[in-house]
Amino acid sequence: MYPTRQGWTVAALAVVPAVLAVVFARPLVLVGSALIGAWLLAHQYRFTRDLERTVESLSVVQSPTRTAVQTGDETPVTLTATREAKTELTLEVSAGLPVAATATRPFVLSLEPAIEQANRTRTVTWPVAGRHTFDKITVTATDGLFRETITAGSTPTVTVEPPSPRSIHVGEGGDRIAASYGSHESRRTGTGIEPAELREYLPGDTGRRIDWKATARHTTPYVREYEAESDRRTLLAVDHRSSLAMGSEGETKLEALREVALVIAGNTRRLNNPLGLVTVGDGGITNYRGIASSTVNYRPIRRQLLSLEPTIAADTPISNQMGTTSMNSTETNANESSASRSSSTQLRTVRAGENNVSLLRRNTTPTDAQRSLSDLEGTDEDDAFGRTLRTFYSGQQRYRERIAEDPLYGAVHRGVTDAQGSIWTVICTDDSRPGELRETVSLARQGGNEVLVLLAPSVLYEPGGLADIEQAYDRYVEFEEFRRELARIDNVTALEVGPTDRLSAVIEAGRSRGGHA
């Protein structure tokens, strides 16, 4: 509690006569000063009593019309104040809007002594995605001489989500998938709830497992097996590097991939399966939550996904965008020059080896490269084929070492290593770094693990990318070849994620000229 300006004026009126009485030796003046002081103290006591009654009877509420909105939405928020006890205090009530919210006008209402209830509604804009909680309402009470400020009332929460792309296509080669991309089957039969197969009754089967309808049809006892319940541990690996910012406002690569990732996370929660998340920016891992119960992890993972923004690319060379092609080409040309001085038989052998380099690269692991280098150490220096293989394996080993330093590979490596067991890895990225993605998928599927790659084709997001529709179709065909390459790997599913309207335009252009993706 503290005095208002008027209160300080009254206090001064009590102090000044007392000073004058001392200066001029007029004791009677002190009586007037004492009377003013006593009156001020009595007023202060009454203010304190009125304030106590007001606080006990006061109800203040701030009520947003919606608690789930999208960025940029405008929603009405109502501030209501009700006072049951009659007092002489005037109340000024201020809403506790979150810092990330903006109101059209100041959000304040006054409750005069004779008024028991008042309310005010303001339009509030939500420009920032995230989960925003209101502060408590600020109530300032005054009787003209004294003032006190308290906080009270409800603190609702509003979840602001980024705008969803208008229509997202998830599928293969222009065909939308029909299944939910978060569901799964255990491939085991047992006592679950999903029907799996029908078989004849065997001794030892309990009577409650008999399918009586099937038994009536076949005139012999049949038992219905059900899909056994299983927990699938899911790791979401979401790329939000600078290349994922490509696209029109509200329909970038990141926004489309995030929408699908949110669906998968929601399905994981519905199935009560363990869930983890690793997000990767240009500088490396930006968020990490190890795989744990979806009851614990779902909400924080959802908040992290909603708050993702593209990072800024570092000024470093990218070694994962098929960067070894020119190096291998230079080394191969040197080997060809050396081989040209050998016999014709050696030359044919060298060329045959070179033709297989591209096949070897795709299926060679770092361990294979190291072992092969060791095996080749003892070969004859005049053996042109051996020289070619040494060149290849040496370059391949350096290539693998650089891949291991790339952000997405490193992020998935941490998630897979920490999980220490069977997991389902969902990689959300684009097609701008094919070399890194190949190695990341190879890493994620080790140990027989399943991998889902959600891939955003750059051609469908580039501004003006469909200006030359024929060229766009050719680029989409190249993308589709890469997607199919990934999908042909055991235990790997690769799906395209893009705007439906743009993809339809590209596919139609291909059909009009008789092509197909």
Side-chain angles (χ1 to χ4, degrees):
M1 180 178 60
Y2 52 93
T4 64
R5 181 179 298 177
Q6 186 177 353
W8 284 114
T9 302
V10 174
L13 290 176
V15 173
V16 171
V19 174
L20 292 176
V22 173
V23 172
F24 295 104
R26 300 280 183 167
L28 290 177
V29 180
L30 287 174
V31 176
S33 179
L35 290 174
I36 295 174
W39 178 85
L40 189 61
L41 289 173
H43 206 93
Q44 181 181 12
Y45 175 75
R46 188 176 67 179
F47 173 80
T48 303
R49 295 293 301 275
D50 280 353
L51 182 61
E52 290 176 355
R53 291 198 302 270
T54 298
V55 171
E56 290 176 358
S57 65
L58 182 64
S59 173
V60 286
V61 179
Q62 42 196 352
S63 307
T65 56
R66 289 188 291 161
T67 57
V69 299
Q70 289 189 339
T71 52
D73 281 358
E74 296 181 348
T75 60
V77 177
T78 301
L79 177 63
T80 304
T82 305
R83 173 175 51 187
E84 296 179 358
K86 292 183 179 181
T87 66
E88 297 300 320
L89 303 183
T90 298
L91 304 181
E92 185 180 84
V93 183
S94 301
L97 289 180
V99 176
T102 57
T104 52
R105 288 178 290 173
F107 206 170
V108 179
L109 64 83
S110 295
L111 205 61
E112 299 296 333
I115 301 175
E116 295 182 355
Q117 184 179 29
N119 61 73
R120 179 154 295 167
T121 300
R122 290 281 185 265
T123 299
V124 177
T125 304
W126 305 91
V128 180
R131 193 168 181 263
H132 307 297
T133 301
F134 282 66
D135 295 327
K136 283 186 174 293
I137 298 169
T138 302
V139 181
T140 302
T142 182
D143 64 352
L145 296 179
F146 296 94
R147 180 188 298 267
E148 183 64 279
T149 300
I150 63 172
T151 56
S154 59
T155 56
T157 298
V158 174
T159 301
V160 184
E161 298 186 1
S164 302
R166 287 172 297 179
S167 178
I168 303 176
H169 165 92
V170 181
E172 302 172 326
D175 296 327
R176 185 185 296 270
I177 62 172
S180 172
Y181 26 80
S183 61
H184 71 284
E185 296 179 356
S186 67
R187 298 179 184 176
R188 293 185 292 109
T189 57
T191 58
I193 59 174
E194 294 294 332
E197 63 178 7
L198 193 66
R199 62 171 177 80
E200 290 190 30
Y201 176 87
L202 296 175
D205 290 332
T206 60
R208 59 187 178 86
R209 299 182 64 186
I210 295 177
D211 188 316
W212 296 107
K213 291 183 178 180
T215 298
R217 288 197 308 269
H218 296 280
T219 67
T220 185
Y222 269 77
V223 171
R224 175 73 67 180
E225 292 280 10
Y226 290 87
E227 189 76 32
E229 297 177 357
S230 67
D231 288 339
R232 180 168 64 177
R233 304 162 72 224
T234 301
L235 174 67
L236 289 174
V238 182
D239 188 351
H240 64 114
R241 285 176 283 183
S242 55
S243 64
L244 277 296
M246 182 181 295
S248 58
E249 184 177 357
E251 296 188 349
T252 64
K253 293 179 183 177
L254 176 58
E255 286 163 327
L257 291 170
R258 171 170 48 204
E259 194 73 12
V260 183
L262 286 169
V263 172
I264 292 175
N267 284 337
T268 301
R269 182 193 186 191
R270 177 177 58 83
L271 296 169
N272 199 29
N273 287 340
L275 178 64
L277 171 70
V278 57
T279 62
V280 56
D282 288 276
I285 296 174
T286 55
N287 291 288
Y288 180 76
R289 290 190 71 89
I291 296 177
S293 167
S294 56
T295 304
V296 175
N297 267 0
Y298 173 72
R299 290 188 180 277
I301 284 177
R302 178 179 172 82
R303 286 197 297 269
Q304 289 173 354
L305 288 174
L306 290 174
S307 64
L308 284 183
E309 296 291 340
T311 58
I312 299 175
D315 295 328
T316 54
I318 298 175
S319 63
N320 57 349
Q321 299 185 32
M322 305 300 288
T324 56
T325 302
S326 59
M327 178 192 70
N328 290 335
S329 175
T330 302
E331 294 174 348
T332 299
N333 289 336
N335 289 327
E336 282 184 341
S337 176
S338 176
S340 64
R341 292 188 296 269
S342 303
S343 65
S344 58
T345 302
Q346 289 177 319
L347 180 59
R348 284 194 298 271
T349 304
V350 169
R351 287 177 176 172
E354 290 172 349
N355 289 335
N356 289 306
V357 163
S358 60
L359 295 176
L360 289 169
R361 177 182 294 116
R362 184 172 301 170
N363 299 300
T364 304
T365 66
T367 303
D368 295 335
Q370 181 62 44
R371 183 169 54 249
S372 299
L373 276 173
S374 300
D375 293 341
L376 290 169
E377 288 298 325
T379 58
D380 189 354
E381 288 296 327
D382 295 331
D383 184 353
F385 183 50
R387 288 198 305 272
T388 300
L389 289 181
R390 277 196 297 271
T391 299
F392 163 71
Y393 282 118
S394 178
Q396 184 72 358
Q397 186 179 27
R398 291 194 296 271
Y399 169 71
R400 301 283 176 168
E401 291 171 352
R402 287 197 301 272
I403 282 292
E405 298 174 357
D406 287 323
L408 184 62
Y409 186 94
V412 172
H413 182 270
R414 177 178 176 182
V416 171
T417 302
D418 288 355
Q420 294 183 347
S422 177
I423 63 172
W424 182 49
T425 305
V426 181
I427 301 173
C428 304
T429 187
D430 64 0
D431 60 344
S432 61
R433 305 168 183 85
E436 179 192 19
L437 183 55
R438 286 190 189 96
E439 300 301 329
T440 303
V441 169
S442 177
L443 168 70
R445 62 178 289 272
Q446 289 179 3
N449 287 329
E450 294 187 359
V451 181
L452 171 62
V453 182
L454 297 172
L455 204 54
S458 296
V459 66
L460 300 182
Y461 292 89
E462 291 176 350
L466 302 188
D468 186 341
I469 195 66
E470 298 292 332
Q471 184 182 22
Y473 177 75
D474 291 337
R475 292 185 56 199
Y476 175 74
V477 170
E478 293 177 3
F479 162 82
E480 178 61 12
E481 290 175 354
F482 175 57
R483 187 199 64 76
R484 289 177 179 175
E485 174 191 334
L486 295 177
R488 282 193 292 266
I489 302 174
D490 290 341
N491 297 333
V492 176
T493 301
L495 303 176
E496 61 199 356
V497 179
T500 302
D501 52 353
R502 285 190 158 219
L503 179 59
S504 298
V506 170
I507 295 297
E508 186 60 32
R511 290 173 179 167
S512 65
R513 74 180 194 183
H516 61 280

